[in-house]
Each structure stands twice: as C-alpha cells, then as structure tokens.
C-alpha cells in the first residue's frame, strides 16, 4: 500500500473494520483522481471479495495487475480468489506468475501449493510448502498446509509433527487443530480427533469444516444423532452441498432398535432422492462425503435399490469419477502371455479380507496368471507376508483417486478384481472408473456395489439363495465349493486354561466372536433368553475396535437382559492365536444374523467347535449354512430364533451331545478348509471371462 496517501489510508482502516462499502466510497473518489492507482484498484478488489462478489473482485485485481504486472501480492491474491471460486486453471496461472515474479514471497509458494494439492500433485505441493517455510520459518499456516499434504501422501506421523509445529507458532490458529483431528481420524484415534475438532471450534466458532469433520468422526463412533446436529450446524455456517451429502449418508453403527434401522434406511433413500433433484456437479474429494452405505448390509435387507441409487447420485455429483483407462478401448488382447490380474484392497494387512482371499490368489496357476496386489501407500497395516507370498508383485498406489487410477491404468491389467468394495470409501470411489476390460468384485464385503463399472460379483453357489441375482447389479457368478481356500489354523499346545485368557472357570461359554456391528437388535431378546435358560452360562463377546461401539451395544442389552446382564463378559481385543484359543475353549459359538460369520467360521471349524446359525435371506447371512452343507451336518442350523436358542442351550448343557457334534465337525472339516474346488473354479472363471472380453 502506498505510504502517505490519506485516502488510501482511510480506506484501509475502513476495510480492516469491516466497513467495506464505506471503504469503497473513499476508493472511488481516490480512483477518480488517480484511475491507475494499483493500490487503490487492489483494495477495491479486496472489498469486493470480502462481500463475496468474487467475479467483480477478479476484475479489479486484473486492473491492478495491469498497472503492476510483477507485483506478487496482487497475483497471489488473484490466484486465491480464483481458487476459492473453483477456477483452478486461472488460479494456477496467477500463482505461477506470482512465484516467478518474486521468489522470496512465501505466501505465493504456500498458495500455489494449495492448487497443486487440489490437482493431486502432492509431491509438488510438499516441495512448495517446504520452500514457503524456509522463506518464512514462523509461517504457521504453511506448516498446517504441509501437514494436510503429508496426510494426503499417507505420511501421518510427519503430518502430526507439522500440525504441532503450527500450533507452537500460533496457538490460537484453528486450522492446525482441525488438520490434527483429521489425521487422528484417519488413524482411527477418534477420541483424540474429537478433542482436536473441539479445540478448533472453540478457537473459531464459525469454522464450518471443523463441525463437518467432527460430525464424520462422531458418525464413525456410532453417535449418529450428534453427527446429524453437527452437520446441520456446518451447513448453517456455510451452505456447502457436501454437508448435505454427508447428512444424507448417515446410518447408525450400533442401531438402538429394529425401528431405528427402518427409520434410517427410509431417511437414506428420501434424502438422496431430494438431493438428486436439480443436482449439479460438486467440487472436492468425494471420499470426504462418502455415505455410510457399508452398514446397509448388516440390516438383512436387499440393498440393490439403495446401492444403485447411491451410485447414480455420486456419478452425477462427481462426474470426474467416470474415467476409462485408454487400454480398455483397445482390441489388442496380446494373446500368448499370462493373464494380468490386479487385485485391489486397502485391507491386505492382518485383516479378514486378506485371510479370505490370499489362498485363492496363491492357488492360481502361474503359467496362466500374473497376479499383482494393489493397495494404497500409507495404509495402516500395509501388506501382510501371506499376501506378498501369494502374488507376483505388489503395487503401492497413491492414496488419492486421480493418481491411483492412472497408476493402475499404466499397468494395463486384463482383469481387475476388487476384494472388498464397500468396506471403505477409497475402493468404492476408485471402482467408478473402468481400469481394466473386465472388472469384478468378490465377497470381502458381501453386498452389491450398485456400480455399472463392475461386471461380475464372484460368489458361492450354495451360500446364495436361488433368487440371489435379485440382490446384485453385477452379473452373479456362483462358484462351486466353499467361499475361499482357507488354511487350517492350530490351537496352542498346551492350550491355556480358561482363567489364563479371562474366561470363567465354571459354566458354559456361549461365545459370539463376531464384530459387534453384526449383532442385530432382533438377536437381543433371544440371547437374553439363552442366558435365562442356562443360569450357569456366560455370553462372551470381544470388545469393538471403537470402545464406543461396545458401550452402545451394552447400553442396548442391559434393559433386555435384566439381572442376567452380569453374565455378559466383554473380552479385550487379542492376538489371532489367543482369539483361536478362546474359540477352542468355548462350548458353543453363536453365529450372528441376518449378517453371519465368514472368516471366523474357518477358524472355529478348525477347532472342532459347534457354531449355531440361523440362515439369513441373502448371502451375508448364509455362509455358515454353506459350510455345514459341505460337511453334511444340519444339527446346528436353526429355522427360527426360538430354535437357535434351543440348539445353543442343548449344546451348552448336554455335554455328550456337544461332544458328538464336535466329533462330526472335526471329522468333516476338511470339506471346508483348503478347498481346491473353489480355487480351481475361481481360476477357470477368470480365464473364461478374459477370453470373452
């Protein structure tokens, strides 16, 4: 700003007070006298921007830049106003000129980094921010922005350090607390995340993004009503369409009742229908507003309509998701070489998905297939040895969709198999693209994707009901055998005692080892009835990954179980071997309904322990039925909730009967473990669809 000009000084004071129209009256008089006053034109632009008249603000800035083309401050401000309006190319042009005009202007490097971040050019963004920090070591916002970029690169520990640096420099700055909260949220450290968002909001009560981020963390904790309130607050502060999308996608993690499930499912459909009317494309990352559709599968209903509606909505809201790799349009099949199979998942570490699929991948004949595991860099668990040993190569892709899909496209896969679409937002949104001529999904998450880009859902013949195709938008593939090639696990030798692992020494142990989100409210009264029938028995569960889920379930159970609630035991999360030993020490394992066991069944049958099951309507509740069918055992398959309780009670109290059933399971478990039939059929199917493509 020019020194000594009274009009400019007066206008600047008015601008700083927020009296923008008064400032402009002074500036107009000044510009009548000096129409080429660059500082006057610049300040007019800032007033227009403050009143959210950004098109006019850019016009004034361009006039100022015409007077002083090398003024980095003018160029940088023009770039940020264009950036805020979503005009990325114009912002890039202004900011590239700014850093070229003044290589010492830290703010320009910081601002250009924001553009590079939006373009998913994260390495370049990081380098620009490092330059900004070098030029201005006390630049708190640059540290916070560097944290954001490092988080996008999956470098979470380094991101935390940068946010903490920003807070040390400027303790009253809200942005680094918000960034720190997002990092903790990404690490599933939700209590710390909420504390960080609380701090950001206390520093800046108008911080809409902090309310939004806190809402999504609360939703993940199962606090759906609180999340709904925070999203309403965020939208009230800034009418951002993304907040409405996130609100529409809310679902309870641990539903309080069957009535609540019905209400939220109806709300889900209604909200997305309302948003679809007059929908225009939304800018930003769709992962930030991913719906909680993962939880639909646990309600026991046909989700085809919900998932198809959701996919159509996102395709319209984020049209950039609909991308096709160039080689998918080529007719060149490159015959005479192994089929290039890519297998994508974020859960290739010590996760049930990895256990369920690694055997099938390892069994694929290598004269016919070249197999690559695909996973985002920075995934918390990385890639387990069993996955690495089962494939020929591991491709670590970027943790953002734009870069990741290009990396996958560059590999020119013949078939892309998603192990678990729906488990988390990244793979779901990645799968909107056509990255291979043939794209399939399998049962890592046993529900339809609703995506037109996915050609086949690979499933199991016996586990699927006759009308199973009705629940899929993909073509249903019904493979023979069981659902996986799964190794036989062993108990510890010697087996620890009950007391050693925290179980009661007396009474029957009814173990329900499933993820707590599978325990449907319909089960509650029946589980309570089981304990009422067996006054010496204990119902045992494992605590959830989020302690709040456990709290919500126990709060739901307490009034239902009454005085028998004291015989509900919650074990801490344990190692795989201790988990298997706990199963081996239990009298009965209780399957959940309508979403039943998958991975746990293989572990339980290897221990020779009976699993009581009530088959569900769709495949996600019929895995145990399929296993028993293969073994030729039907004694533990109930036809009603009452029969479920009756079978479990008999197994828990009639020791001779339990011993008889356990002996049958031990003798016949080879039928479901290390199943070559499924592995052979899997390879045959992939070869056939490649030939047809």
């Amino acid at each position: 700003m020019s020194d000594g000009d009274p009009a400019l000084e007066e206008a600047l004071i008015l601008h700083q007070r927020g009296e923008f129209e008064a400032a402009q009256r002074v500036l107009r008089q000044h510009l009548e006298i000096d129409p080429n006053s660059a500082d006057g034109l610049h300040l007019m632009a800032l007033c227009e921007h403050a009143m959210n008249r950004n098109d006019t603000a850019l016009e004034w800035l361009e006039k100022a830049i015409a007077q002083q083309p090398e003024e980095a401050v003018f160029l940088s401000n023009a770039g940020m106003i264009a950036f805020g309006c979503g005009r990325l190319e114009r912002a890039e042009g202004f900011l590239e000129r700014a850093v070229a005009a003044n290589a010492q202007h830290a703010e320009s490097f910081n601002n250009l980094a924001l553009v590079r971040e939006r373009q998913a050019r994260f390495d370049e963004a990081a380098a620009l921010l490092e330059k900004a920090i070098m030029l201005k070591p006390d630049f708190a916002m640059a540290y916070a922005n560097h944290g954001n970029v490092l988080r996008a690169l999956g470098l979470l520990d380094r991101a935390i350090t940068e946010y903490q640096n920003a807070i040390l420099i400027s303790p009253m700055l809200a942005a680094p607390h918000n960034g720190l909260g997002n990092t903790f949220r990404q690490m599933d450290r939700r209590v710390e995340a909420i504390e960080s968002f609380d701090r950001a909001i206390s520093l800046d009560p108008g911080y809409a993004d902090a309310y939004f981020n806190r809402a999504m963390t609360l939703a993940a904790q199962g606090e759906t009503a609180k999340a709904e309130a925070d999203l309403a607050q965020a939208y009230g502060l800034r009418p951002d369409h993304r907040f409405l999308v996130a609100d529409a996608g809310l679902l309870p993690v641990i539903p309080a009742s069957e009535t609540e499930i019905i209400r939220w499912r109806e709300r889900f459909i209604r909200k997305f229908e309302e948003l679809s009317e007059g929908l225009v494309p939304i800018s930003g990352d769709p992962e930030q507003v991913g719906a909680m559709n993962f939880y639909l599968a646990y309600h026991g209903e046909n989700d085809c309509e919900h998932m198809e509606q959701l996919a159509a909505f996102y395709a319209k809201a984020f049209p950039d998701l609909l991308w096709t790799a160039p080689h998918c349009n080529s007719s060149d099949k490159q015959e005479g070489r192994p089929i290039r199979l890519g297998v994508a998942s974020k859960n290739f570490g010590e996760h049930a998905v990895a256990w369920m699929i690694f055997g099938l991948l390892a069994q694929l004949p290598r004269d016919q297939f070249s197999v690559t595991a695909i996973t985002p860099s920075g995934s918390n668990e990385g890639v387990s040895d069993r996955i690495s040993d089962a494939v020929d190569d591991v491709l670590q892709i970027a943790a953002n969709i734009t870069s990741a899909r290009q990396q996958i496209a560059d590999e020119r896969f013949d078939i892309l198999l998603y192990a678990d679409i729906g488990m988390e937002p990244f793979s779901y949104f990645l799968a909107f693209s056509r990255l291979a001529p043939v794209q399939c999904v399998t049962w890592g998450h046993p529900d339809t994707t609703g995506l037109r880009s996915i050609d086949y859902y690979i499933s199991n013949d016996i586990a699927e009901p006759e009308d199973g195709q009705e629940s899929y938008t993909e073509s249903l593939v019904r493979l023979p055998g069981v659902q996986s090639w799964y190794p036989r696990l062993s108990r510890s030798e010697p087996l620890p005692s009950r007391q050693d692992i925290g179980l009661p020494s007396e009474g029957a142990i009814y173990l329900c080892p499933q993820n707590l989100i599978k325990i449907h409210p319909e089960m509650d009264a029946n589980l309570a009835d089981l304990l009422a029938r067996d006054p010496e028995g204990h119902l045992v569960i494992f605590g959830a990954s989020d302690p709040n889920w456990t709290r919500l379930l126990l709060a739901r159970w307490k009034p239902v179980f009454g005085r028998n609630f004291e015989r509900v035991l919650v074990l801490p999360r344990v190692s795989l071997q201790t988990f298997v030993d706990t199963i081996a020490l239990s009298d009965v394992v209780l399957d959940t309904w309508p979403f039943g066991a998958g991975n746990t069944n293989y572990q339980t049958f290897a221990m020779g322990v009976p699993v009581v099951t009530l088959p569900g309507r769709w495949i996600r509740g019929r895995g145990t039925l399929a296993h028993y069918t293969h073994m030729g055992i039907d004694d533990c398959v109930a036809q009603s909730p009452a029969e479920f309780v009756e079978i479990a009670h008999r197994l828990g109290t009639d020791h001779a009967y339990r011993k008889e059933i356990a002996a049958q399971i031990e003798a016949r478990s080879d039928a479901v473990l290390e199943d070559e039939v499924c592995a052979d059929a899997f390879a045959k199917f992939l070869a056939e669809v490649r030939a047809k493509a």
Side-chain angles (χ1 to χ4, degrees):
M1 195 67 65
S2 297
D3 294 330
D5 189 309
L8 287 178
E9 290 178 0
E10 181 184 358
L12 180 60
I13 291 169
L14 290 167
H15 175 272
Q16 291 169 342
R17 289 177 182 170
E19 299 176 28
F20 306 118
E21 291 183 351
Q24 286 188 319
R25 285 194 293 271
V26 174
L27 287 168
R28 287 191 184 94
Q29 293 174 2
H30 169 74
L31 290 169
E32 284 180 6
I33 299 168
D34 184 2
N36 295 324
S37 169
D39 287 333
L41 295 166
H42 177 235
L43 191 50
M44 279 290 287
L46 297 184
C47 290
E48 289 292 299
H49 173 57
M51 292 185 287
N52 204 30
R53 299 200 289 253
N54 291 313
D55 288 336
T56 313
L58 282 173
E59 291 174 7
W60 284 107
L61 269 167
E62 286 176 335
K63 291 177 182 178
I65 292 166
Q67 298 303 314
Q68 294 186 17
E70 301 300 309
E71 176 50 65
V73 173
F74 297 173
L75 291 164
S76 189
N77 285 341
M80 288 313 294
I81 291 173
F83 179 77
C85 296
R87 300 172 189 175
L88 215 56
E89 288 186 11
R90 288 193 74 187
E92 181 180 36
F94 283 126
L95 290 164
E96 286 178 344
R97 288 173 60 188
V99 297
N102 186 349
Q104 302 301 309
H105 190 240
E107 286 77 4
S108 295
F109 285 93
N110 175 78
N111 295 344
L112 181 56
L114 298 179
V115 173
R116 294 290 181 253
E117 180 186 10
R118 181 70 60 83
Q119 294 169 328
R121 294 159 64 176
F122 296 110
D123 289 328
E124 294 175 58
L128 288 163
L129 287 162
E130 288 163 9
K131 175 72 171 177
I133 291 167
M134 183 186 72
L135 291 169
K136 190 176 178 181
D138 62 348
F139 194 172
M141 218 34 239
Y143 282 102
N145 290 332
H146 196 210
N148 293 340
V149 171
L150 292 170
R151 179 163 53 84
L153 287 167
L155 304 172
L156 303 185
D157 289 335
R158 286 184 59 194
I160 289 172
T161 299
E162 291 298 72
Y163 293 129
Q164 290 171 338
N165 286 336
I167 292 167
L168 283 172
I169 294 166
S170 183
M172 303 306 289
L173 185 64
H177 292 281
N178 182 61
L180 193 58
N182 279 328
T183 309
F184 287 141
R185 175 182 160 204
Q186 195 168 331
M187 300 169 79
D188 290 333
R189 292 162 59 177
R190 293 174 187 143
V191 173
E192 293 167 273
I194 289 173
E195 289 173 352
S196 294
F197 296 134
D198 287 347
R199 179 61 176 158
I201 290 167
S202 71
L203 291 170
D204 182 359
Y207 200 166
D209 285 318
Y211 280 102
F212 168 72
N213 292 325
R214 187 173 70 178
M216 302 315 290
T217 310
L218 287 165
Q221 280 194 316
E223 298 291 349
T224 320
K226 292 180 181 178
E228 186 179 21
D230 263 1
L231 287 169
Q233 180 73 20
Y235 190 78
L237 290 167
R238 189 179 80 229
D240 187 325
H241 209 70
R242 295 177 308 141
F243 302 159
L244 297 180
V245 177
D247 175 71
L250 290 175
L251 287 169
V253 178
I254 305 291
S257 65
E258 293 178 71
T259 301
E260 186 181 49
I261 290 175
I262 294 169
R263 180 173 72 84
W264 282 97
R265 286 180 71 91
E266 290 176 348
R267 179 187 185 276
F268 189 96
I269 284 281
R270 184 182 71 255
K271 288 274 188 176
F272 277 109
E273 285 177 347
E274 292 170 355
L275 287 175
S276 296
E277 296 174 5
L279 179 66
V280 295
I282 302 170
S283 62
D285 181 359
E287 283 190 80
Q288 292 183 343
V289 291
M292 300 175 71
N293 49 285
F294 170 74
Y295 296 101
L296 289 171
Y298 296 89
H299 301 160
E301 304 293 334
N302 184 344
D303 298 325
C304 200
E305 178 187 0
H306 289 67
M307 294 302 294
E308 196 166 22
Q309 177 200 30
L310 186 67
F313 172 84
Y314 279 120
K316 190 174 180 181
F318 298 93
D320 288 347
L321 290 171
L322 306 178
W323 188 82
T324 299
H327 80 285
C328 295
N329 297 321
S330 171
S331 58
D332 180 14
K333 291 187 179 182
Q334 298 185 349
E335 302 289 354
R337 59 162 175 77
I339 296 168
R340 289 182 53 75
L341 172 66
V343 187
S345 176
K346 206 172 184 179
N347 296 306
F348 279 153
E350 292 302 323
H351 193 282
V353 169
W355 277 96
M356 289 287 282
I357 202 168
F358 87 94
L360 292 177
L361 302 181
Q363 296 296 311
L364 288 171
R366 286 312 193 261
D367 60 331
Q368 298 179 45
F369 294 91
S370 173
V371 185
T372 299
I374 305 166
T375 195
S377 58
S379 294
N380 289 344
E381 295 180 297
V383 177
S384 66
D385 289 343
R386 68 182 56 83
I387 289 291
S388 297
D389 293 343
V391 301
D392 302 296
D393 196 12
V394 175
L395 175 64
Q396 293 273 355
I397 55 175
N400 68 89
I401 291 165
T402 303
S403 300
R405 66 190 182 190
Q406 185 62 59
Q407 288 176 270
I408 296 172
D410 290 344
E411 296 295 318
R412 299 177 63 88
F413 290 113
D414 301 307
I415 302 173
L416 183 58
L417 172 66
Y418 288 92
D420 54 355
I421 294 175
M423 289 286 285
E424 40 73 33
F426 181 80
S427 63
Y428 175 71
F429 289 117
L430 184 65
F432 275 77
S433 296
R434 169 65 65 176
L435 303 177
V438 177
Q439 299 196 144
C440 312
V441 64
T442 190
W443 48 72
H445 181 58
D447 204 358
T448 186
T449 66
L451 300 174
R452 295 181 179 180
S453 53
I454 301 299
D455 307 306
Y456 300 99
Y457 191 101
I458 302 174
S459 189
N460 174 258
D461 187 32
I462 293 179
E464 287 286 353
E466 289 185 11
D467 58 351
Q469 180 63 66
E470 292 181 10
S471 64
Y472 297 99
T473 57
E474 308 84 0
S475 293
L476 177 61
V477 180
R478 307 173 69 119
L479 297 184
V482 294
Q483 290 175 289
S484 182
W485 187 100
Y486 201 97
R488 179 182 289 276
L489 301 184
S490 301
R491 67 189 71 190
S492 295
E493 293 294 344
L495 188 66
S497 68
R498 280 186 171 189
Q499 296 95 315
D500 289 339
I501 58 174
L503 292 172
S505 57
E506 302 294 333
I509 299 297
Y510 300 98
L511 177 66
C512 187
Q514 304 303 316
N515 189 322
L516 301 190
I517 62 178
K518 293 184 179 183
I519 302 178
H520 192 281
E522 184 184 345
M523 293 188 68
D524 296 357
N526 296 285
L527 294 174
D529 185 31
L530 176 59
L531 284 192
R533 290 190 181 204
D534 183 358
E536 304 299 322
H538 301 270
L539 174 61
V540 179
I541 60 175
F542 286 95
S545 57
D546 189 316
N548 200 55
W549 298 0
T550 309
R551 184 191 67 79
L552 290 170
L553 179 65
L554 295 179
R556 194 180 83 195
W557 275 1
K558 192 169 185 179
V560 179
F561 282 71
R563 64 182 182 180
N564 293 326
F565 182 73
E566 64 186 19
R567 289 188 285 122
V568 174
L569 176 63
V570 181
L571 295 179
R573 295 172 68 80
V574 294
S575 68
L576 175 61
Q577 188 59 59
T578 303
F579 182 81
V580 170
D581 289 344
T582 305
I583 292 172
L585 288 165
S586 299
D587 297 285
V588 186
V589 166
L590 304 176
D591 196 8
T592 47
W593 80 76
F595 192 122
N599 184 62
T600 311
N601 275 345
Y602 296 101
Q603 299 161 349
T604 304
F605 290 137
M607 298 301 105
V609 175
V611 181
V612 184
T613 188
L614 174 60
R617 175 70 176 84
W618 306 107
I619 185 175
R620 44 196 168 273
R622 298 170 62 86
T624 313
L625 170 66
H627 290 155
Y628 274 132
T629 301
H630 276 284
M631 290 190 286
I633 299 171
D634 61 8
D635 305 72
C636 300
V637 180
Q639 301 302 314
S640 68
E643 189 180 6
F644 179 95
V645 174
E646 184 63 40
I647 294 170
H649 178 254
R650 184 180 179 190
L651 287 167
T653 56
D654 186 336
H655 301 300
Y657 179 67
R658 183 201 177 279
K659 187 175 180 180
E660 176 189 338
I661 298 300
Q664 290 182 39
I665 292 170
E666 287 194 34
R668 304 178 192 180
S669 59
D670 283 344
V672 297
L673 295 166
E674 301 178 0
D675 179 31
E676 303 292 346
V677 174
C678 178
D680 291 345
F682 180 64
K684 182 180 178 182
F685 164 74
L686 294 176
E688 288 176 351
V689 294
R690 173 66 182 100
K692 292 177 184 176

